[in-house]
Amino acid sequence: MRSIWGSKLKLAFAATAVGGGVGAAKIANSDDPATALKLCTTVPVRLFRLSVTAAAIAFDYEYSLMGLPEYSDERANVVHEVHTRSARRLEDLCFKNGGIYIKLGQHVGQLDYLVPLEYAKTMRESMLNRCPTSTYDQVCHVVKKELGGAPEEIFDEFDPVPIASASLAQVHVARTHEGQKVAVKVQHTHMTDTAAADFATVEFIVNTLHRFFPSFDYRWLVDEVRETSPKLDFLIEAGNNVKCMDNFRRLSPHIADYVYAPTIYWSLSTSKLLTMEFIEGPQVNDLKGIKKLGIRPHDISKLVSQTFAEMMFKHGFVHCDPHAANLLVRVLPSDRSSFFGKRKPQLVLLDHGLYKELDTYTRTNYAALWKVNF
């Protein structure tokens, strides 16, 4: 057993050393010397945690299951125990490293159709509702670096307490000098600055472990997370916002008035900070709030279905993060009706950081499948 753990530590150190070279290549590409210096001190620590955790998980599977008959009850029980231990190790790693690792954990928590249930359950219970926040000093640093001044200089008002926080950014309410109420989305740059190096080293170590232990193959997960993670450039998110609304006006004019995305303030937006129109309204699953507006819940469910059907089958450009907090409801601004329960709804789409483009072949086949099943 001592030789096993000695081998594990050797593998961890080797992976850290070689993976460090991969991460260093990403660090060297940084245009900001201060950021590069910070990465040089934080990435090796994060990489070492990753290497040790990955090695511990791989060795646990390899040696805990050694010699156990396939399909036996004993093996099934041990597999459950190893899954549970490994999920806890991964959970601990994600919280300690933060940033893109939180996004990785959240993603695993939604893959119960692909990963062992022990992983999905552990990540879902701990990750989905626990997101990091930046301190106000960190927010001020980002605002000053991106917009050239402190929040109180750039904006007439700026609430230091965020109204929402996610794995990669948080949102503050502010008011421009012209009097418009806006939502300012600020990246957790103390965590997202390491994203490129994190992705590179995670991919390297997963590939390395697969070479040592062919049964440990999670290479697909790295590709999946990279494909489905929101882009760290907020100008891409802003462009998706504009493109989404343009698609509805051009391709779906019959419901274009009933779907809305916040206006972007381009002069107050950069790759790490996004300023947009502030919109209030109940979330799409807030039945009581929707009824208070005089809107029938049935009309909301119909509108949500129509909206995403149009994106999937006509536009081929689909909003891929439609959880309740990103779907708000308000009364259609042009609706002057005072009849309770008959007011027209408008669906407000927030957070356009993650979109998927569907080619014609995919849309055609999905439409055929939809027709057969529905």
Side-chain angles (χ1 to χ4, degrees):
M1 181 60 69
R2 184 175 299 173
S3 63
I4 290 173
W5 283 97
S7 298
K8 183 176 79 170
L9 288 174
K10 288 178 183 177
L11 176 59
F13 278 112
T16 301
V18 181
V22 178
K26 296 292 182 180
I27 295 172
N29 289 329
S30 174
D31 296 327
D32 183 358
T35 298
L37 179 62
K38 182 178 73 172
L39 292 179
C40 285
T41 59
T42 59
V43 168
V45 175
R46 297 157 68 83
L47 174 59
F48 181 73
R49 288 195 199 111
L50 169 62
S51 302
V52 171
T53 301
I57 291 174
F59 273 86
D60 198 355
Y61 278 104
E62 190 74 12
Y63 291 99
S64 295
L65 301 179
M66 185 179 293
L68 296 180
E70 198 77 33
Y71 307 117
S72 67
D73 290 342
E74 182 185 4
R75 184 183 179 89
N77 291 333
V78 173
V79 165
H80 169 69
E81 293 171 0
V82 177
H83 283 339
T84 301
R85 287 196 298 270
S86 299
R88 294 299 180 194
R89 289 185 180 113
L90 182 60
E91 175 191 37
D92 185 58
L93 171 70
C94 290
F95 279 125
K96 284 181 177 177
N97 276 3
I100 209 69
Y101 287 86
I102 296 289
K103 181 58 65 177
L104 171 66
Q106 291 175 338
H107 192 72
V108 171
Q110 299 176 69
L111 292 178
D112 46 4
Y113 56 94
L114 283 176
V115 301
L117 182 62
E118 293 85 351
Y119 283 87
K121 187 172 183 290
T122 299
M123 297 301 137
R124 186 164 55 241
E125 290 176 350
S126 63
M127 295 281 171
L128 294 182
N129 295 315
R130 290 174 60 182
C131 292
T133 57
S134 295
T135 66
Y136 187 57
D137 285 343
Q138 289 168 332
V139 169
C140 289
H141 175 75
V142 175
V143 174
K144 186 170 185 178
K145 181 179 178 182
E146 297 300 311
L147 299 180
E152 58 271 18
E153 297 171 347
I154 303 298
F155 299 94
D156 190 50
E157 299 173 10
F158 191 94
D159 191 340
V161 180
I163 59 169
S165 182
S167 56
L168 303 178
Q170 63 190 46
V171 178
H172 293 259
V173 178
R175 193 173 296 276
T176 68
H177 289 298
E178 292 72 34
Q180 294 102 342
K181 190 175 184 180
V182 294
V184 184
K185 187 174 180 179
V186 184
Q187 269 190 29
H188 301 307
T189 56
H190 58 293
M191 287 182 275
T192 57
D193 278 343
T194 63
D198 285 341
F199 266 131
T201 52
V202 167
E203 182 175 31
F204 174 81
I205 287 176
V206 168
N207 287 336
T208 300
L209 286 171
H210 176 63
R211 292 191 193 100
F212 279 95
F213 309 104
S215 61
F216 184 86
D217 191 2
Y218 281 86
R219 293 172 297 174
W220 61 270
L221 183 58
V222 177
D223 295 333
E224 178 81 5
V225 173
R226 178 183 284 107
E227 175 70 19
T228 57
S229 291
K231 302 299 180 277
L232 296 178
D233 185 342
F234 282 166
L235 294 180
I236 294 177
E237 178 176 338
N240 290 342
N241 176 315
V242 172
K243 182 176 179 178
C244 175
M245 289 298 94
D246 183 57
N247 283 343
F248 275 99
R249 284 188 292 268
R250 290 187 304 105
L251 304 173
S252 307
H254 59 293
I255 66 165
D257 289 341
Y258 299 92
V259 183
Y260 189 79
T263 299
I264 302 297
Y265 288 76
W266 292 96
S267 62
L268 295 172
S269 297
T270 71
S271 62
K272 296 183 183 297
L273 185 149
L274 182 62
T275 304
M276 66 203 107
E277 174 186 7
F278 181 84
I279 297 178
E280 293 183 281
Q283 295 181 7
V284 73
N285 62 347
D286 182 358
L287 191 62
K288 188 179 294 186
I290 290 170
K291 287 182 175 179
K292 278 185 178 180
L293 295 177
I295 295 172
R296 294 181 298 184
H298 169 76
D299 292 339
I300 296 299
S301 62
K302 182 179 178 181
L303 179 56
V304 171
S305 297
Q306 286 181 319
T307 297
F308 282 87
E310 294 289 324
M311 285 194 276
M312 287 187 289
F313 300 125
K314 285 189 179 179
H315 308 172
F317 188 66
V318 186
H319 187 303
C320 290
D321 199 12
H323 59 76
N326 287 340
L327 302 177
L328 303 185
V329 176
R330 67 178 182 178
V331 175
L332 185 69
S334 61
D335 184 1
R336 302 288 183 245
S337 172
S338 60
F339 292 102
F340 187 82
K342 293 188 177 180
R343 304 187 78 182
K344 296 178 181 178
Q346 186 177 65
L347 181 66
V348 181
L349 303 177
L350 304 180
D351 197 345
H352 297 259
L354 182 57
Y355 269 76
K356 180 73 174 179
E357 295 200 43
L358 304 179
D359 57 33
T360 302
Y361 176 82
T362 301
R363 284 185 280 154
T364 302
N365 280 275
Y366 190 37
L369 181 64
W370 183 285
K371 184 176 180 181
V372 169
N373 288 283
F374 298 96

